[in-house]
Amino acid sequence: MTGRSAAAKSALPGFLGVPVERHASIGSTNDEAFRRADEGAPEGLVVVAQAQTAGRGRQGRSWWDTPGASLLFSVLLRPSIPLPQCPLLALALACCVADAGTEATGAALGIKWPNDVLHDGRKLCGVLAESRVSGASSRVSGAPSTKRPAVVVGAGVNVNQTSEDFPGELRGTATSLRIAGGGNPLRPDELLPAILVRLERYAALAASGDGAGLWREVAGRLPKPGSEVAVVSGGRRIAGVVEGITESGALRLREPGRAEATVVSAGELA
């Protein structure tokens, strides 16, 4: 694999008893976590990079970051919940980032369905969950499977960027924890343990197969039933009233003039 640097074990506290692995530069932390999973790495492996050369976001997008100013990491999990519920782990990680970021900055951070972290309407973190069963990886999208997957959940957190650091096309939509906190720089090495300690209870629910418990933990961060939303999914704009949330975190939308609710598992809130 190109773009992979030699890993170093971190002095930071690990996750689920597994030491954090750090890289100066890497292609993708998700790809590296899967590579390590193929070698037999245990659940709880966390791969961290100061820079990614092939980072990616949801729906096939590339992920922009500022080397040294971002927190880029992926977590390897081996959950016992059904694969259709694994998207909840991406939402869980977004919740952990939002809560740890609020604690670090004092700023109110929110979750935008399905798993982005925002401040004042601008994005500061994206999360990507992918699964691999029998050596084939795919983005977690709710496809049914009876096999227990390796699930990698990765996050890119804008930590210390200033507004001038963002490319012109992102300045109106992106932000960072530093900006949200009033300009004070943060230490990514202190933020990561605060995120991981919060993730432990979600990982425990997933490992035990308690998908219902995991859903209850994160459902409060999803759009409320009765709220009106619009989602762009697959090039189509779907507008309607939220009728409910499925066990995988998908939205059940009641569109005007349609007899049955539309289930939307991926997309962007407009």
Side-chain angles (χ1 to χ4, degrees):
M1 174 179 172
T2 60
R4 181 166 60 88
S5 64
K9 295 294 179 63
S10 174
L12 294 171
F15 179 61
L16 304 183
V18 182
V20 173
E21 290 189 4
R22 302 179 64 85
H23 299 258
S25 179
I26 202 170
S28 160
T29 57
N30 268 29
D31 288 346
E32 178 65 8
F34 274 128
R35 188 191 71 81
R36 295 284 288 109
D38 288 342
E39 294 179 344
E43 179 177 49
L45 173 70
V46 179
V47 177
V48 183
Q50 288 188 310
Q52 291 185 120
T53 59
R56 59 186 183 273
R58 290 183 295 108
Q59 303 186 59
R61 299 187 181 116
S62 59
W63 177 259
W64 173 91
D65 66 78
T66 304
S70 302
L71 175 58
L72 311 168
F73 69 97
S74 296
V75 181
L76 171 62
L77 299 172
R78 300 184 185 276
S80 295
I81 57 175
L83 185 59
Q85 288 192 288
C86 287
L88 295 176
L89 291 167
L91 178 58
L93 181 54
C95 293
C96 296
V97 171
D99 292 344
T102 292
E103 182 180 71
T105 64
L109 307 181
I111 306 296
K112 179 182 178 182
W113 181 90
N115 45 44
D116 290 338
V117 182
L118 307 183
H119 175 257
D120 197 23
R122 298 186 178 191
K123 181 175 175 177
L124 62 80
C125 172
V127 177
L128 175 66
E130 298 179 292
S131 67
R132 176 172 289 179
V133 181
S134 299
S137 64
S138 63
R139 286 175 180 76
V140 173
S141 59
S145 173
T146 58
K147 296 182 179 180
R148 184 180 180 186
V151 174
V152 171
V153 188
V157 188
N158 297 332
V159 179
N160 281 323
Q161 289 89 342
T162 65
S163 58
E164 292 76 17
D165 290 327
F166 293 105
E169 65 272 19
L170 294 180
R171 288 180 185 173
T173 58
T175 189
S176 69
L177 290 173
R178 181 175 182 172
I179 296 170
N184 296 319
L186 291 87
R187 291 180 56 87
D189 285 354
E190 294 178 355
L191 182 65
L192 180 60
I195 294 170
L196 296 179
V197 74
R198 287 170 166 81
L199 187 60
E200 286 181 354
R201 79 174 187 275
Y202 299 109
L205 290 169
S208 69
D210 187 3
L214 179 60
W215 185 91
R216 287 193 296 270
E217 285 285 335
V218 301
R221 302 294 188 107
L222 294 168
K224 300 293 188 293
S227 58
E228 296 183 0
V229 302
V231 180
V232 178
S233 178
R236 178 189 171 203
R237 189 176 188 275
I238 305 169
V241 176
V242 177
E243 188 176 78
I245 307 295
T246 73
E247 66 175 10
S248 66
L251 303 182
R252 291 178 55 85
L253 296 183
R254 177 70 64 178
E255 297 180 81
R258 294 181 66 93
E260 296 183 358
T262 301
V263 177
V264 185
S265 60
E268 298 285 343
L269 286 180

